Amino acid sequence: MSRASDRAYEAIRSMILSGELPAGAQLAEEALAERCGVSRTPVREALRRLESDLLVTRTDTQRSFVADWSIDDVADAFELRALLEGKAARRAAERMTDAALARIRDANRRLGDAIRRPVPDVTVFLDANRDFHAAILDVAGSRRLAALLATLIEQPVVWRTAHHYGREALNRSYGEHEELIAAFARRDGPWAEAIMTGHILRAYHAYADAHRGLAERDQREAAE
Amino acid sequence: MSRASDRAYEAIRSMILSGELPAGAQLAEEALAERCGVSRTPVREALRRLESDLLVTRTDTQRSFVADWSIDDVADAFELRALLEGKAARRAAERMTDAALARIRDANRRLGDAIRRPVPDVTVFLDANRDFHAAILDVAGSRRLAALLATLIEQPVVWRTAHHYGREALNRSYGEHEELIAAFARRDGPWAEAIMTGHILRAYHAYADAHRGLAERDQREAAE
DNA sequence: ACAAAGAGTATTGTATACAAATACCGCAGG
DNA sequence: CCTGCGGTATTTGTATACAATACTCTTTGT
């Protein structure tokens, strides 16, 4: 990660995910280059990568802007993610090894530890959650499937609302992961697929609820 | 398409699809720049795009090579394409408009004309086929789904074997398209999905058969 | 007042030079 | 014959200059 273009990619990406660069903001190469402490060349490369991640859009005249993820876009992304992660879970169950299963169990153990603390540690939760899903994707053994899902997993809005999930939603995630592990242990592809699909779609509704809640709060605050 | 990086992209891509640059060949930026008549900067950009298309792979030390699509890779791509195009067909059926249906019908009419000639015109066939699927993707109305499928449709090996499909395979494609049109006309999502999934998977086996045939011929020729 | 035109500014595209990293090749030693 | 080690040649990464393009705001004509 020491190459300048990687630094630029990470820097710009985190500025977008954190909301420091709000949706619709123009991304001028020169300005970004200065903020990242590199020249325009690596910034250009980073912008192209972010564009293929759909975090950045370009006008027909090649100007770049922070992509605007409407609630419909998010729903769309979740729908596709449910489809593809379901497929990944099925393939993973059919190809599961004991070593991979251990890795998946370990990720969910860490996830469980994070949410059982007096105050749930959302950062650790997100981290363990990512590992859990990454391990499954590895076992699924399809470079292409992994590449497709990569563009769907990191969503700016989702990232920012994750911290507002209730404890119940976190617990349910843990439980569904445990059920997935059971399906993997039995090498039951269809079962794993069904649970994973439901898991993603439930996560979508958890997000939509949290998002609605935040929007209402914003409105109340704006009214004062 | 007049920008140098677009020219480079098209040029390199067609060199790969045509087999002029065989699988495994190294893609040195300097050499490509000379062949395309542009400088290294647009070539670099083109290579990154081709990499995200999975037509080019990079080693851990950043050298680029023409991707080597094994038969398993192709099977993998078709499997995902069947899943995603099935989804697209379902969405398209649910959102179908009369104008879009007319466009889809027109594409298949052109496709039918191409294969009914004394000698089937494979170029026109492929063109009309692309339009047919593109029209469906448009109606499906998901930018993300379109972006995901874009990386799966153009496959070097498939392109090269398309000319060896038998007339029967071409006719069957036409027939399946007609059945899809019937499903669209009735706005029947599940029906459209089922036909599309089957259509893609059958196309895969048509490819696999043609490919096997070519491989055997190559072996015979090598033995002489 | 409004639209079109145009100058000036901002932004992106391309070429090129140089720096850094990596691969290749030959040679010495086991 | 294989293995490890330098040194050289290739190849990629980055910065920068300049060209081309798009945007903005003012001016001018109707």
Side-chain angles (χ1 to χ4, degrees):
Chain A
M1 205 53 59
S2 71
R3 290 204 336 295
S5 65
D6 290 335
R7 279 216 315 279
Y9 175 79
E10 291 295 334
I12 299 169
R13 182 161 156 280
S14 85
M15 285 191 269
I16 294 175
L17 290 176
S18 72
E20 185 182 339
L21 288 170
Q26 180 166 7
L27 299 168
E29 296 171 0
E30 187 80 44
L32 289 174
E34 200 157 339
R35 279 177 89 161
C36 301
V38 299
S39 82
R40 271 180 57 211
T41 310
V43 167
R44 284 175 68 79
E45 209 172 297
L47 283 178
R48 300 298 150 88
R49 284 169 66 187
L50 290 163
E51 189 191 355
S52 86
D53 293 346
L54 295 182
L55 256 53
V56 165
T57 56
R58 298 176 86 191
T59 65
D60 49 354
T61 64
Q62 315 296 91
R63 267 125 176 103
S64 302
F65 296 85
V66 177
D68 176 13
W69 289 59
S70 72
I71 184 70
D72 286 346
D73 280 327
V74 175
D76 198 30
F78 267 106
E79 186 180 341
L80 290 173
R81 203 183 147 190
L83 187 70
L84 292 174
E85 288 228 39
K87 181 75 156 181
R90 175 179 219 134
R91 288 182 59 125
E94 290 160 353
R95 291 164 174 75
M96 189 57 61
T97 65
D98 291 344
L101 191 55
R103 188 178 150 208
I104 291 168
R105 281 202 165 102
D106 180 64
N108 207 42
R109 191 187 44 67
R110 280 186 293 127
L111 190 150
D113 290 348
I115 62 174
R116 270 189 294 273
R117 300 160 74 111
V119 175
D121 187 331
V122 178
T123 304
V124 173
F125 169 85
L126 288 170
D127 230 57
N129 188 60
R130 190 191 348 259
D131 285 353
F132 184 87
H133 287 270
I136 294 170
L137 207 45
D138 274 357
V139 187
S142 165
R143 272 179 29 241
R144 232 160 294 278
L145 185 51
L148 294 181
L149 271 167
T151 72
L152 296 173
I153 47 173
E154 301 281 4
Q155 302 171 14
V157 212
V158 174
W159 195 257
R160 265 173 283 157
T161 47
H163 289 268
H164 301 282
Y165 288 167
R167 183 183 292 266
E168 194 201 350
L170 300 178
N171 280 333
R172 211 173 291 179
S173 273
Y174 174 80
E176 286 168 355
H177 284 188
E178 283 298 312
E179 214 171 332
L180 266 170
I181 289 170
F184 289 146
R186 285 169 179 73
R187 271 69 171 170
D188 188 327
W191 186 17
E193 178 174 8
I195 296 172
M196 181 62 95
T197 303
H199 176 56
I200 301 292
L201 293 178
R202 191 198 50 70
Y204 163 64
H205 289 293
Y207 159 75
D209 290 349
H211 182 262
R212 229 189 323 279
L214 286 180
E216 280 164 15
R217 198 195 62 188
D218 286 351
Q219 270 200 328
R220 269 203 312 282
E221 284 174 1
E224 284 166 11
Chain B
M1 202 54 56
S2 70
R3 289 202 339 293
S5 64
D6 290 334
R7 280 215 315 278
Y9 174 79
E10 292 295 334
I12 300 169
R13 180 160 157 282
S14 85
M15 286 192 269
I16 294 175
L17 290 176
S18 72
E20 184 182 339
L21 288 171
Q26 179 166 7
L27 298 167
E29 297 172 0
E30 188 79 44
L32 289 174
E34 200 157 338
R35 278 176 87 162
C36 301
V38 299
S39 81
R40 271 182 57 213
T41 311
V43 167
R44 284 175 67 80
E45 210 173 297
L47 283 178
R48 300 299 150 87
R49 282 168 68 187
L50 290 164
E51 188 191 358
S52 86
D53 293 347
L54 296 180
L55 255 53
V56 165
T57 55
R58 300 176 85 192
T59 65
D60 50 354
T61 63
Q62 316 296 92
R63 267 129 176 103
S64 302
F65 297 85
V66 177
D68 177 14
W69 287 58
S70 73
I71 183 71
D72 286 346
D73 280 326
V74 176
D76 198 30
F78 268 105
E79 185 181 341
L80 291 173
R81 203 183 145 190
L83 188 70
L84 292 174
E85 289 227 40
K87 181 73 156 183
R90 175 179 218 133
R91 288 182 58 124
E94 292 161 354
R95 292 166 174 72
M96 187 57 62
T97 64
D98 292 342
L101 191 55
R103 187 179 151 206
I104 292 169
R105 280 202 166 103
D106 180 65
N108 207 41
R109 189 187 46 69
R110 280 186 293 129
L111 190 149
D113 290 347
I115 61 174
R116 269 189 294 274
R117 301 160 74 110
V119 174
D121 185 332
V122 178
T123 305
V124 173
F125 169 85
L126 287 171
D127 230 57
N129 188 60
R130 193 196 339 263
D131 285 352
F132 183 87
H133 287 270
I136 294 171
L137 207 46
D138 274 357
V139 186
S142 165
R143 272 178 29 241
R144 231 161 295 279
L145 185 51
L148 294 181
L149 271 167
T151 72
L152 296 174
I153 47 173
E154 300 281 6
Q155 301 171 17
V157 215
V158 174
W159 196 255
R160 265 173 286 158
T161 48
H163 290 268
H164 301 281
Y165 289 167
R167 183 184 290 267
E168 194 203 348
L170 301 178
N171 281 334
R172 208 172 294 179
S173 273
Y174 173 80
E176 286 167 357
H177 284 188
E178 284 297 313
E179 213 171 333
L180 266 171
I181 288 170
F184 289 146
R186 286 169 179 72
R187 271 71 172 169
D188 189 326
W191 187 17
E193 179 173 7
I195 296 172
M196 181 64 94
T197 303
H199 176 57
I200 302 291
L201 293 177
R202 190 198 49 72
Y204 162 64
H205 290 293
Y207 158 75
D209 291 348
H211 182 261
R212 228 189 325 277
L214 286 179
E216 278 163 16
R217 198 196 61 187
D218 286 351
Q219 267 197 331
R220 268 202 315 280
E221 283 173 2
E224 286 168 9

